[in-house]
Amino acid sequence: MYYDLHTHTVCSDGTLTPEALVSCAVEAGVEVLALTDHDTVEGLGAARAAATQAGINLVAGVEISAIWEGMTVHIVGLDIDDKNDVLLGNLARLQDIRRERIQDIAVLLARQGIDGALAVLAHAGSVGRTHVADWLVIHGHARSRTVAFKRFLTRGAPAYVGGRWPDMAEAVAWIRAAGGCSVLAHPTRYRLSGGRLRQLIAAFAESAGGALEVVSAGLDAGEIGRLAELALRYDLQGSVGSDFHGPVPWRTHPGGLVDLPVGCVPVWQRCSRMQRLVVS
Ligand code: AMP
Ligand code: MN
Ligand code: MN
Ligand code: MN
């Protein structure tokens, strides 16, 4: 496996620094790595420097939180110009939205008798529910991150706050403005019926979205095959990404992903700067 086009660092809710992520990816045999932190490009400079030193290709990326028909979806932007004004201005706004959302979550937690969650605002990077979940665990309000999400932070739970994210089409437009390819991330994780998933993918394609994340960690061959068919049907390319957040508590690792099914056009074939380095 040479490509891993979806990973996180401490600049959002991952546990590794950009440098450590690059080392980890190199160890796993990844040759083309995209760093795609939530709503920030902050880690790209350090990741790029580390990748150059290690002799692997670093693709500048971001994972933008967005809304489609009232639900949150994630749009990965690949091979973006991370100095683009349109993109940077809008990501700055999303950072404000994220911080305000933590305040709303803290108010809801206080109503549950849990005070002090505002402390997570000390996180220097893109702050989100993962940081609140970890804070809840550290302070003895949940046994694990998963339990913290389930009990307090997922949709329907008492401290759930949906983000005021942009519309999916807007997120795609920002990525295009920055010269990147947009990818509908982890399509099976939205827990949609087959029909609803097709509607989401059709809407993404209509918004000029470019690719579908066909291969991601934890999918079986059947699921990957179905996603590849959907990509083909809606004329989308296929992407490959682990969504690695760190060695613990996640079990996914960078790389280690299967190849895209035959017939699925890889996203890097349309973006020449994403071509695999030929290591001699
Ligand atoms: P946010 O962008 O603040 O809404 O947080 C979303 C992030 O929380 C995702 O990218 C995951 O890293 C993490 N996450 C979402 N749901 C869960 C869950 N049930 N258990 C653990 N982590 C989760
Ligand atoms: Mn995350
Ligand atoms: Mn995501
Ligand atoms: Mn992700």
Side-chain angles (χ1 to χ4, degrees), residues 133 146 182 208 216:
T146 309
S182 51
S216 52

PDB file of all heavy atoms in Angstrom, residues 133 146 182 208 216:
ATOM      1  N   ALA A 133     -14.770  14.498  24.921  1.00  0.00           N
ATOM      2  CA  ALA A 133     -14.899  13.088  25.319  1.00  0.00           C
ATOM      3  C   ALA A 133     -13.715  12.682  26.201  1.00  0.00           C
ATOM      4  O   ALA A 133     -13.897  12.063  27.264  1.00  0.00           O
ATOM      5  CB  ALA A 133     -14.980  12.191  24.086  1.00  0.00           C
ATOM      6  N   THR A 146     -15.511   6.138  23.746  1.00  0.00           N
ATOM      7  CA  THR A 146     -16.735   5.640  23.087  1.00  0.00           C
ATOM      8  C   THR A 146     -17.950   5.845  23.979  1.00  0.00           C
ATOM      9  O   THR A 146     -19.006   6.292  23.519  1.00  0.00           O
ATOM     10  CB  THR A 146     -16.577   4.129  22.773  1.00  0.00           C
ATOM     11  OG1 THR A 146     -15.333   3.955  22.089  1.00  0.00           O
ATOM     12  CG2 THR A 146     -17.702   3.604  21.926  1.00  0.00           C
ATOM     13  N   SER A 182     -12.106  17.344  -4.205  1.00  0.00           N
ATOM     14  CA  SER A 182     -12.895  17.051  -3.009  1.00  0.00           C
ATOM     15  C   SER A 182     -13.301  15.578  -2.988  1.00  0.00           C
ATOM     16  O   SER A 182     -13.575  14.970  -4.024  1.00  0.00           O
ATOM     17  CB  SER A 182     -14.118  17.954  -2.939  1.00  0.00           C
ATOM     18  OG  SER A 182     -14.808  17.913  -4.153  1.00  0.00           O
ATOM     19  N   ALA A 208     -20.339  19.286  -7.913  1.00  0.00           N
ATOM     20  CA  ALA A 208     -19.003  19.242  -8.516  1.00  0.00           C
ATOM     21  C   ALA A 208     -17.977  18.571  -7.599  1.00  0.00           C
ATOM     22  O   ALA A 208     -16.783  18.843  -7.684  1.00  0.00           O
ATOM     23  CB  ALA A 208     -18.521  20.623  -8.951  1.00  0.00           C
ATOM     24  N   SER A 216     -11.524   2.530   2.981  1.00  0.00           N
ATOM     25  CA  SER A 216     -11.108   3.069   4.277  1.00  0.00           C
ATOM     26  C   SER A 216     -11.035   1.924   5.267  1.00  0.00           C
ATOM     27  O   SER A 216     -11.504   0.815   4.981  1.00  0.00           O
ATOM     28  CB  SER A 216     -12.026   4.199   4.742  1.00  0.00           C
ATOM     29  OG  SER A 216     -13.361   3.823   4.704  1.00  0.00           O
TER      30      SER A 216
END
